[in-house]
Amino acid sequence: MDSPNEHPPTDPLTKNNLQPFFVLHKASKSSESTARSPRKPSKRRLDSSPKVSLNNENMKENLKMEAFRCVWSKIDSSIKDVLRSINADVFDEIGRWVRESFNAICSCRGPVDTSKSSLPYPFVHNGGIVRNLFTGLVFTKNIETVDDILTFAELGLNLKSRGCYVANISSLDFSTKNGIGGCLRAFLRQLLMVDIEAADVSLLVSWYSDHGKYEKPVVVIIEDMERCSGALLSDFVNMLSEWSVKIPIILIAGVATSTDALRNLLTSHALQYLSTSTFFLKSPSERLDAIIEAVLVKNCAGFSVGHKVASFLRNYFLRQDGTVTSFVRALKMAIVQQLSVEPLSFVLKFLVDEGDNKRSCCEDLADMSEELIKHAFELPSYRTYSVNRNNHVELNAMSLCQGLSELQRLQELWRSRLMCLHEAGRYHKVALLDLYLEALDPESYNSRLSNHDRDSAKDKSLLSNNDKLFRLQKAEVTNQVIRKIRDLPAAKLSQLLKSWERLTEGTIEVHEKIIELQSQMVSEDVKSHKAELTDISKRHINRCRLNKEKDACTSNDKAMTLAGQTIRDNMLPIECMPFHELICFKDVDNLQSALIGDPRRRIQIDLLNFYKILKCGCCSNSGGTLSPSMHDTSIMYLLAQEYGDLINLHDWFQSFKVSISSSGKKGLKKLASPKKRKDNTYSQNNSDALIQARFCRAVMELQITGVICVMARCGGVTDELLNQNYVKEATRCHRMVKII
Amino acid sequence: MNEEQNPQTPRRTTRASLSSTPNPKSCKAKLKLCNKQPLTINDLAYGDESISLDDLISSLPGRRSQISELLRLLGPLDSPMFPVFVYGGASTGKTSTILQIFKHLKRPFVYCSCITCYSPRILFESMLNQLLLHRRNESNRYSSTKRCERPSDFVNFLKEALCNVVDSLKGNMVKSSSKKSSGWARGKMVYLVFDNLELAREWDKSSNILPFLFNLNDILKMPEVGLVFLSNASPDTYYSDTGYVEPVPVYFPDYTEDELRQILMKKQENLKLYSSFLEVVLRPFCRVTRRVDELSTAFSTLYQIYCEPLDDLGIVPSEDMKRKLFTHLQPHIGPSLNETFKVENRLSSEASAKTNKWKGIAKKNGVCESPSEIDFHMSACAKYLLICAFLASRNPATLDASLFDSTGGSNNRKRKRKSSEKSKEKKENAEQELLLKGPGTFPLERLLAIFQCIVSVSECLPDEEAQGDGGLEGESWTNGLLSDVLLELSSLCNANFISKCGSCPLEGANRYRSMVSEAMALKVARSLKFPLAKYLYRG
């Protein structure tokens, strides 16, 4: 078992348990500068770049920039479209509900009396006070709210376009610091367009009645309800409900978790006033599926990722972040890295441009230097390809262009098959993400091929063939989906075939087979229908039914084999295609380090290898050993490394003192700086104070960078003493610093 | 137009003439036109409509004695009065009674609710704005007439404003005696109504606002001013040590069952059907609550269910049908008794078709369905963290070492020792104590330690997921994990699953507490296939 204590000592900070120094900060994700794994691709760039001339280099950079802009803008816009369309249904629903609620309020209020409505007493209806507040709970289905900031902004715009007054309030406005006044001010500022010092709801009433606005409801959108302070939110609801009839206020709240959150947050009083309806946004995995379909599966930008990258992205999504936002960011990083690493990757731009611009691709490639073209033919994917095929094409731009178009053709096939699978998987709620991942896996493809070869030699009974096909493979989800085609009812099967027909329009054989299958199904249907009509006797019907079931079975089986076959034949993962390196990003390590970022590790490495940065003459040759000329913080950190995880502050100080002063004398002799000697002549006391000050500063620096954290809770008496000691020294140090 | 701009000359009889126009449409149009008109003194009273005493009493069932008491305290026209303190439980008709009484009396009053006026300043300014007939609108940039934060300023302004109002009311009387004017405010008294006064107790730490308000009568020394306080809390709960004349209390008791029936019946269309419905539900619900608002929200949904089998809502139910409807309703009564907050499920059209069946089943059982899975997305890391936090809050810290030892707690033979009677009792006590204490707090380090243990254990488990994903997975799982854990922790805090407690001043580190229920934690554990029950310390 891999117990945490068996970790190598070089990575002390990932250890668990009660350690005195803990890592406290969250890595900033945008930092792309992390030195972790050996960078093969960057090496390659270094190899290739000196060969090309400067002019060429410039042009290449331009091309790359242009390609990035082109590709990313396309991807970005398609992602936005997807997200917009995925929310459209819910928005419609919400819009309808807002209208209904508004009508309900109006019917309760009766005819409008503008002069009375601005007066501050509640509306008495039928002898009682109406304090219902129509509330829509929009469940975002994700505890991370990053993805939904945009959603709610768009919901606001959508409702505005439907003729509502909309105010978006975020949880930041519901902070206890500003009180209810702050939240009201933020709310009123959006509607009244003035900043009011003493805001109260009655202003809203006078604004509402002043403008003769009785045709429109006022919608308040609270984006992330869970983050709001419960007391304030309750007050807010109370306040709004007091005016709920005089101004038709409708509340929309985004809820990340469940309705329990509302129960826990609000007071029972406030809950009483809410008459709620619930709406559900699409779950993040559904959204991700839609994005993958639009960006990576459908030919949106020509860009694609390798299997390992895809599996990393999937794991990152499922296990750690779970937001679409981070997925999109990862995608962007992948494109940037691909473009920066791969010299010929600007062909992406040509792949994006459709139709007429294809020719210009060849022309542009012809303009390229020969090294670049050669580089393309030296790619490992092409090498294996050409070795396998034994073909010797002339290595020029034309053949590269052809190769690229072939690549595109193959990808097109792959895409359509994947979409076929997706269609089939839809009936069993299989995520496209999983299918996509398996479809990218080159290993499973290879095993599939070898299986097929083996099988083709043997007897080809349908069932055994299938069994072998499925048993020996790694692609679990894909096979499940194919297997489940057998269980589909006829109606769904014909529906599926119809969608397949649409998807496989490019390839004739498969298309024909599908049409054949469809016609077969139709004829079966007619047959059985006729049989049912003509034969009335019970036995007959029974038999017919049996027959029919058998027939259905066969057509289902046929569909299944067809799917299996077409996948085996046509679903070539991108990593098995020649020239795929140009458009396919495969470097997981780089992406991971860019996405997750590990600034602490960076700091640690820099602290240990400080001489690489400082580039001073005195310590670079000393390597890792301590020397007094080193930077204080580095000395401290090195000492900390010697001590392990738990450092007694006193010991630390002592060893710091020793390492400074003992070798300090040595250093003094070496450096012979007059100033230091002068210092030395001063009293011992003074130098002690100086060392203490330096020590404290270094500790502070280490603390600020987050490499260490002073733990108070260790439980021992010595530790307490230690802490007191630390505090004392720190204060003294401050005083010293100030005096100096 | 000059006259119109002067708010002190109540010459225009717009309100009265408008209210007498028979056509509501033209009335509305005119109102829109005169929207920007300055307010007149008559706007302080309910001008346009009047209700007779009988209407007043019948509109408020069960409040006859309180109404007559209040009318007695308010006295005949133009008679000075002592301050009145109206109190009673929530939703017992205090505010509506007062408002309806003023509607009946047509006397000018100023109403301020401490819900809307959430601070002394807003209370003061709102009151002054009303008295000075000031309307905050775009033209004055929504500002008040007077900026007034201190009670002393307020008294000065208030006196001034009240004098003006009383003067104009007197002028009003002279005119009204000559002309017939139904819409005009009657009398020269002005009443100040403070609603929801119990909230004012929480304003400011310097609790001088309440004594000030109670003392207002003495401070103003104006016989033309009447004060009415409305509060949920009884007068005993207010400080009364500053020597003011205690206001006359009027108590609004909770409604009786009969009164509730009358109130609830008022709004209904099919009285017979509704009364048969009330016969079934009112008694059990009355034992739980007598608040009209709670009852009416609870009944509105129940009534819908009650009416479900009926095609025609206008029918008069026979005994047989009543029985049928009752059996239909009965399973729903119990659950809704316990429910304070109901969420109406509004499904999109396609989804509703799917779930209709499922809903029907749930309704048959009469039980609120609790889904066995969590229906929102959480990353696996967050789920583990949630479980860890739950464990850290539930289990005593001393047990950690034995639970998460080197074997990862997978053998729990040790803990399954037989226990004697005495120790059992002890454990029961401890369990109760645990329940009373609620979830415990824990430092971040303990959470991280447990997290590390649990993650390492679950990685060793022959999990099918881990198998399928191969070696790459494990790598990405531990790489850069710690930094992400803290991010996940913060998002869990944001979702209120884990709450940050105040940091200990000695230790300086934050402590956390898990806020999730056991059911929720179990659900999360199930989704991870994590054996949570094995790790729970049960007394």
Side-chain angles (χ1 to χ4, degrees):
Chain A
M1 203 199 68
D2 190 10
S3 103
N5 292 335
E6 286 163 20
H7 277 297
T10 46
D11 198 10
L13 288 161
T14 50
K15 277 197 181 179
N16 61 4
N17 284 331
L18 302 167
Q19 298 167 2
F21 300 111
F22 256 99
V23 174
L24 291 180
H25 289 243
K26 165 70 199 151
S28 88
K29 292 201 167 172
S30 54
S31 80
E32 287 186 33
S33 59
T34 36
R36 283 198 47 241
S37 53
R39 283 191 195 170
K40 259 185 237 158
S42 61
K43 261 185 203 161
R44 193 192 296 151
R45 182 178 55 175
L46 286 175
D47 291 344
S48 63
S49 54
K51 288 178 194 164
V52 268
S53 65
L54 199 73
N55 192 21
N56 226 343
E57 187 82 351
N58 250 350
M59 194 179 80
K60 233 169 65 190
E61 286 305 311
N62 282 346
L63 269 172
K64 276 181 179 175
M65 279 310 289
E66 205 181 323
F68 173 71
R69 231 172 281 136
C70 179
V71 171
W72 181 246
S73 68
K74 197 149 188 203
I75 289 180
D76 199 35
S77 67
S78 70
I79 287 174
K80 270 179 190 149
D81 286 347
V82 163
L83 290 181
R84 199 168 297 137
S85 65
I86 211 170
N87 286 328
D89 289 347
V90 186
F91 284 3
D92 277 350
E93 187 77 19
I94 292 174
R96 232 173 295 137
W97 166 78
V98 165
R99 211 15 80 183
E100 281 167 25
S101 317
F102 179 58
N103 290 340
I105 294 171
C106 287
S107 68
C108 169
R109 183 181 51 196
V112 182
D113 182 353
T114 30
S115 65
K116 282 285 175 250
S117 62
S118 64
L119 292 173
Y121 39 78
F123 183 81
V124 180
H125 173 74
N126 218 345
I129 297 168
V130 184
R131 297 188 67 173
N132 256 0
L133 194 63
F134 285 93
T135 311
L137 302 179
V138 180
F139 289 90
T140 59
K141 289 192 174 180
N142 192 355
I143 60 164
E144 305 274 358
T145 46
V146 196
D147 288 346
D148 298 306
I149 296 170
L150 211 83
T151 312
F152 282 106
E154 257 180 31
L155 176 62
L157 288 179
N158 188 296
L159 289 175
K160 250 179 213 165
S161 71
R162 286 165 196 265
C164 307
Y165 296 105
V166 180
N168 279 64
I169 315 181
S170 82
S171 58
L172 295 177
D173 299 318
F174 282 96
S175 66
T176 35
K177 199 173 138 199
N178 293 331
I180 188 78
C183 126
L184 273 178
R185 209 174 304 145
F187 169 40
L188 292 181
R189 195 188 299 135
Q190 288 184 44
L191 292 174
L192 272 58
M193 302 296 184
V194 277
D195 202 11
I196 307 128
E197 207 180 332
D200 65 313
V201 191
S202 59
L203 285 182
L204 189 69
V205 184
S206 72
W207 165 80
Y208 190 76
S209 61
D210 260 5
H211 291 245
K213 287 166 183 166
Y214 284 90
E215 307 84 37
K216 289 181 172 188
V218 178
V219 180
V220 183
I221 300 177
I222 300 171
E223 285 164 14
D224 36 4
M225 203 207 57
E226 272 106 338
R227 297 189 185 199
C228 302
S229 136
L232 280 187
L233 193 63
S234 304
D235 281 354
F236 188 67
V237 167
N238 264 346
M239 214 176 264
L240 290 186
S241 69
E242 197 159 65
W243 295 89
S244 62
V245 179
K246 292 197 170 179
I247 343 162
I249 290 184
I250 291 161
L251 195 69
I252 291 179
V255 185
T257 53
S258 59
T259 44
D260 287 337
L262 213 64
R263 277 194 199 105
N264 295 337
L265 201 67
L266 293 175
T267 59
S268 64
H269 251 287
L271 280 178
Q272 200 63 51
Y273 301 135
L274 303 180
S275 56
T276 52
S277 302
T278 51
F279 305 94
F280 296 94
L281 293 178
K282 288 278 188 292
S283 73
S285 50
E286 280 170 299
R287 281 189 230 184
L288 194 67
D289 270 6
I291 287 179
I292 286 178
E293 184 181 336
V295 175
L296 292 172
V297 178
K298 279 187 184 155
N299 191 8
C300 156
F303 178 73
S304 88
V305 294
H307 175 246
K308 281 188 175 171
V309 174
S311 83
F312 164 70
L313 287 176
R314 176 179 172 272
N315 289 334
Y316 189 66
F317 175 76
L318 289 181
R319 300 189 143 175
Q320 294 188 3
D321 199 339
T323 59
V324 174
T325 315
S326 71
F327 179 82
V328 172
R329 192 175 48 200
L331 206 61
K332 192 171 182 179
M333 280 175 186
I335 292 174
V336 169
Q337 291 196 355
Q338 172 71 12
L339 282 169
S340 68
V341 162
E342 192 54 52
L344 264 173
S345 54
F346 56 83
V347 293
L348 269 175
K349 181 175 168 290
F350 307 133
L351 299 182
V352 171
D353 295 335
E354 282 132 15
D356 305 338
N357 295 344
K358 278 275 160 60
R359 193 160 295 161
S360 77
C361 157
C362 279
E363 285 165 16
D364 267 317
L365 279 174
D367 290 344
M368 287 292 118
S369 65
E370 265 179 40
E371 281 96 3
L372 266 180
I373 305 289
K374 225 178 212 170
H375 163 78
F377 289 102
E378 277 165 13
L379 290 171
S381 64
Y382 182 74
R383 273 196 198 149
T384 49
Y385 169 79
S386 60
V387 166
N388 280 351
R389 305 277 162 122
N390 257 338
N391 61 346
H392 298 287
V393 194
E394 209 176 322
L395 305 181
N396 60 12
M398 271 310 283
S399 54
L400 176 58
C401 201
Q402 274 167 4
L404 281 176
S405 53
E406 171 69 10
L407 173 71
Q408 258 187 309
R409 193 188 64 81
L410 286 174
Q411 269 220 285
E412 206 52 57
L413 270 179
W414 179 83
R415 281 182 182 122
S416 73
R417 298 304 172 269
L418 180 56
M419 284 315 291
C420 287
L421 267 181
H422 181 45
E423 286 295 331
R426 240 169 230 198
Y427 299 107
H428 311 289
K429 301 224 162 116
V430 177
L432 176 62
L433 184 57
D434 298 332
L435 285 173
Y436 175 70
L437 191 67
E438 285 180 4
L440 277 179
D441 192 359
E443 272 179 48
S444 77
Y445 173 74
N446 289 335
S447 68
R448 211 153 37 199
L449 269 188
S450 57
N451 272 339
H452 178 60
D453 290 343
R454 218 181 304 148
D455 284 342
S456 58
K458 286 178 191 170
D459 173 34
K460 264 194 184 173
S461 129
L462 188 79
L463 227 109
S464 68
N465 184 16
N466 281 340
D467 275 356
K468 264 166 206 157
L469 213 148
F470 297 130
R471 205 191 307 134
L472 293 167
Q473 275 168 25
K474 209 182 165 193
E476 191 121 330
V477 183
T478 313
N479 293 332
Q480 242 172 35
V481 167
I482 296 176
R483 226 173 302 154
K484 275 182 178 166
I485 293 176
R486 199 190 309 183
D487 309 331
L488 277 182
K492 277 185 179 172
L493 187 65
S494 68
Q495 215 178 325
L496 178 66
L497 285 176
K498 218 170 265 172
S499 66
W500 280 7
E501 187 191 344
R502 188 168 37 78
L503 285 165
T504 54
E505 250 158 20
T507 45
I508 302 150
E509 328 99 75
V510 181
H511 199 67
E512 272 174 357
K513 269 184 195 163
I514 287 167
I515 289 172
E516 191 185 313
L517 242 166
Q518 263 175 324
S519 62
Q520 184 194 335
M521 273 192 73
V522 168
S523 66
E524 271 168 25
D525 215 35
V526 170
K527 224 195 286 169
S528 62
H529 201 65
K530 263 184 194 164
E532 230 161 281
L533 277 180
T534 47
D535 297 271
I536 319 156
S537 81
K538 229 178 182 179
R539 252 166 86 200
H540 258 108
I541 287 180
N542 270 346
R543 201 183 297 158
C544 278
R545 233 178 241 158
L546 269 176
N547 276 341
K548 193 181 151 196
E549 266 163 29
K550 218 193 250 168
D551 285 348
C553 260
T554 54
S555 59
N556 274 6
D557 278 338
K558 271 180 190 166
M560 190 172 74
T561 25
L562 179 66
Q565 198 186 342
T566 178
I567 282 163
R568 194 177 50 225
D569 295 345
N570 296 327
M571 265 184 103
L572 184 64
I574 186 153
E575 281 173 86
C576 302
M577 300 177 191
F579 299 122
H580 75 264
E581 284 96 336
L582 298 183
I583 60 163
C584 170
F585 180 72
K586 294 198 293 185
D587 194 351
V588 199
D589 292 335
N590 257 343
L591 181 67
Q592 192 177 350
S593 60
L595 190 67
I596 295 171
D598 209 351
R600 177 161 303 101
R601 203 191 187 87
R602 184 77 248 175
I603 290 171
Q604 286 161 358
I605 289 169
D606 285 351
L607 276 172
L608 291 176
N609 304 330
F610 62 95
Y611 46 85
K612 280 182 188 159
I613 296 157
L614 293 177
K615 288 189 179 122
C616 58
C618 45
C619 354
S620 50
N621 41 12
S622 71
T625 53
L626 283 168
S627 76
S629 59
M630 282 159 75
H631 193 262
D632 285 352
T633 320
S634 286
I635 294 176
M636 296 277 288
Y637 191 65
L638 278 171
L639 285 172
Q641 293 288 330
E642 281 172 19
Y643 273 86
D645 310 329
L646 201 138
I647 310 167
N648 188 321
L649 201 73
H650 185 70
D651 293 349
W652 202 11
F653 174 66
Q654 287 304 332
S655 54
F656 176 71
K657 196 171 156 188
V658 168
S659 68
I660 279 188
S661 53
S662 69
S663 47
K665 277 163 200 161
K666 217 164 68 188
L668 269 178
K669 275 172 202 163
K670 254 188 209 165
L671 293 168
S673 109
K675 237 186 182 176
K676 280 243 169 164
R677 197 172 294 155
K678 214 175 165 188
D679 272 352
N680 223 15
T681 54
Y682 277 122
S683 67
Q684 181 68 27
N685 206 13
N686 198 1
S687 77
D688 253 9
L690 197 70
I691 289 169
Q692 242 173 36
R694 284 169 69 180
F695 176 76
C696 286
R697 194 181 63 185
V699 169
M700 286 290 171
E701 277 175 5
L702 286 175
Q703 239 178 313
I704 287 165
T705 47
V707 179
I708 64 161
C709 138
V710 177
M711 293 275 302
R713 206 173 159 281
C714 294
V717 182
T718 47
D719 290 321
E720 266 173 35
L721 277 176
L722 184 76
N723 286 317
Q724 280 174 3
N725 210 1
Y726 173 72
V727 170
K728 245 188 246 164
E729 274 170 9
T731 49
R732 213 193 295 162
C733 149
H734 271 296
R735 212 175 297 139
M736 296 265 315
V737 169
K738 267 178 199 163
I739 288 165
I740 289 164
Chain B
M1 287 307 277
N2 270 339
E3 278 176 6
E4 277 181 27
Q5 274 156 12
N6 185 0
Q8 302 303 334
T9 51
R11 194 151 297 165
R12 292 180 56 91
T13 54
T14 46
R15 190 80 48 242
S17 60
L18 278 173
S19 60
S20 60
T21 44
N23 190 352
K25 256 192 178 175
S26 70
C27 161
K28 205 173 167 183
K30 266 189 194 171
L31 270 171
K32 252 185 195 169
L33 280 178
C34 65
N35 200 10
K36 298 278 182 197
Q37 270 177 16
L39 293 163
T40 64
I41 194 78
N42 296 320
D43 283 321
L44 288 183
Y46 273 108
D48 41 2
E49 49 201 314
S50 64
I51 49 171
S52 65
L53 186 60
D54 291 340
D55 282 348
L56 173 66
I57 288 167
S58 69
S59 74
L60 298 159
R63 287 289 166 252
R64 178 186 285 272
S65 64
Q66 281 80 20
I67 290 169
S68 52
E69 169 80 3
L70 279 170
L71 284 175
R72 190 182 63 76
L73 287 168
L74 291 172
L77 207 60
D78 296 341
S79 61
M81 65 173 278
F82 282 117
V84 177
F85 187 90
V86 179
Y87 69 101
S91 190
T92 47
K94 299 179 295 295
T95 307
S96 37
T97 304
I98 287 287
L99 288 175
Q100 294 294 76
I101 283 177
F102 277 107
K103 199 173 192 174
H104 164 67
L105 293 174
K106 282 193 182 174
R107 295 187 194 169
F109 70 100
V110 170
Y111 174 92
C112 279
S113 160
C114 294
I115 293 179
T116 302
C117 307
Y118 54 89
S119 73
R121 178 183 169 186
I122 289 174
L123 180 72
F124 296 157
E125 289 182 1
S126 154
M127 193 146 273
L128 289 174
N129 285 338
Q130 288 181 60
L131 282 172
L132 292 169
L133 306 169
H134 173 78
R135 195 182 260 157
R136 301 165 81 180
N137 53 24
E138 250 177 323
S139 55
N140 53 31
R141 292 190 57 81
Y142 299 99
S143 59
S144 307
T145 40
K146 301 264 164 47
R147 190 192 158 92
C148 171
E149 280 175 86
R150 282 178 303 168
S152 54
D153 292 342
F154 177 60
V155 170
N156 292 334
F157 290 136
L158 188 66
K159 260 187 189 162
E160 202 180 307
L162 281 172
C163 284
N164 277 337
V165 168
V166 170
D167 282 350
S168 58
L169 279 173
K170 277 175 186 161
N172 210 353
M173 277 171 72
V174 174
K175 270 173 223 127
S176 66
S177 60
S178 60
K179 254 193 253 168
K180 196 193 168 224
S181 53
S182 62
W184 285 21
R186 286 184 191 159
K188 55 184 172 60
M189 285 281 290
V190 182
Y191 299 89
L192 308 182
V193 182
F194 297 90
D195 201 351
N196 302 98
L197 201 65
E198 72 278 355
L199 291 175
R201 288 181 298 184
E202 285 148 31
W203 295 350
D204 299 345
K205 286 119 249 159
S206 56
S207 52
N208 53 11
I209 183 80
L210 277 172
F212 166 71
L213 287 180
F214 284 133
N215 221 356
L216 203 57
N217 203 34
D218 288 348
I219 296 169
L220 288 172
K221 289 204 180 68
M222 289 173 78
E224 294 92 350
V225 177
L227 294 174
V228 180
F229 301 104
L230 304 178
S231 160
N232 278 343
S234 79
D236 309 333
T237 58
Y238 295 86
Y239 292 114
S240 55
D241 55 347
T242 29
Y244 49 79
V245 181
E246 278 192 20
V248 185
V250 178
Y251 178 57
F252 276 57
D254 280 351
Y255 290 113
T256 64
E257 206 178 309
D258 265 348
E259 288 159 0
L260 282 173
R261 181 170 290 122
Q262 284 178 46
I263 293 167
L264 292 165
M265 291 288 281
K266 262 195 333 187
K267 302 164 194 169
Q268 297 309 319
E269 286 163 9
N270 189 345
L271 290 177
K272 287 267 168 57
L273 188 64
Y274 201 76
S275 72
S276 68
F277 166 70
L278 282 185
E279 269 169 34
V280 180
V281 291
L282 193 55
R283 179 143 302 173
F285 270 88
C286 268
R287 281 188 223 121
V288 181
T289 176
R290 300 213 163 175
R291 289 179 51 173
V292 179
D293 51 357
E294 282 182 357
L295 285 176
S296 59
T297 44
F299 286 174
S300 67
T301 47
L302 277 179
Y303 187 55
Q304 274 175 8
I305 297 167
Y306 189 73
C307 294
E308 239 169 32
L310 297 172
D311 302 323
D312 174 26
L313 289 179
I315 56 154
V316 179
S318 61
E319 279 304 310
D320 195 36
M321 184 178 283
K322 274 184 197 170
R323 218 168 298 130
K324 243 185 224 164
L325 291 176
F326 172 65
T327 48
H328 174 71
L329 182 69
Q330 200 185 14
H332 299 275
I333 297 176
S336 66
L337 272 173
N338 289 327
E339 221 162 65
T340 49
F341 174 56
K342 190 145 196 167
V343 176
E344 188 192 321
N345 229 340
R346 191 191 166 90
L347 296 152
S348 56
S349 46
E350 39 181 329
S352 63
K354 268 189 219 161
T355 43
N356 256 347
K357 256 190 222 162
W358 166 80
K359 240 177 154 181
I361 293 163
K363 261 177 196 164
K364 248 180 220 162
N365 298 334
V367 192
C368 269
E369 67 289 327
S370 59
S372 58
E373 287 172 21
I374 44 171
D375 55 353
F376 50 90
H377 183 94
M378 252 202 281
S379 59
C381 181
K383 282 179 183 169
Y384 275 117
L385 209 54
L386 188 71
I387 290 173
C388 294
F390 180 70
L391 285 176
S393 265
R394 277 289 302 270
N395 292 348
T398 45
L399 218 71
D400 283 357
S402 59
L403 276 177
F404 307 105
D405 55 359
S406 55
T407 54
S410 44
N411 66 339
N412 47 357
R413 269 172 301 164
K414 264 187 204 168
R415 282 178 288 121
K416 275 189 177 170
R417 252 180 301 161
K418 290 268 175 185
S419 47
S420 67
E421 281 297 308
K422 208 172 188 183
S423 67
K424 256 186 191 167
E425 200 176 297
K426 228 181 206 174
K427 271 175 188 170
E428 256 168 39
N429 285 340
E431 204 169 347
Q432 264 184 344
E433 204 182 305
L434 202 72
L435 203 71
L436 286 175
K437 270 184 191 165
T441 63
F442 52 87
L444 180 65
E445 292 76 36
R446 188 170 160 224
L447 178 70
L448 292 182
I450 294 178
F451 179 73
Q452 193 93 43
C453 290
I454 280 182
V455 167
S456 66
V457 166
S458 62
E459 265 181 356
C460 300
L461 287 179
D463 197 340
E464 59 175 281
E465 200 186 334
Q467 262 186 350
D469 294 333
L472 188 84
E473 296 267 327
E475 195 192 348
S476 71
W477 182 229
T478 38
N479 260 352
L481 186 73
L482 210 55
S483 57
D484 250 49
V485 166
L486 295 164
L487 187 74
E488 297 295 339
L489 184 67
S490 78
S491 61
L492 281 177
C493 283
N494 280 329
N496 285 336
F497 286 149
I498 297 176
S499 79
K500 224 182 224 176
C501 308
S503 59
C504 171
L506 264 176
E507 294 164 5
N510 268 321
R511 291 181 78 85
Y512 295 83
R513 180 192 305 245
S514 154
M515 305 294 281
V516 292
S517 62
E518 185 167 345
M520 169 84 182
L522 282 171
K523 255 187 239 171
V524 171
R526 208 176 304 137
S527 72
L528 288 173
K529 292 178 188 146
F530 176 79
L532 178 65
K534 221 164 81 180
Y535 290 93
L536 272 182
Y537 170 68
R538 308 230 175 239

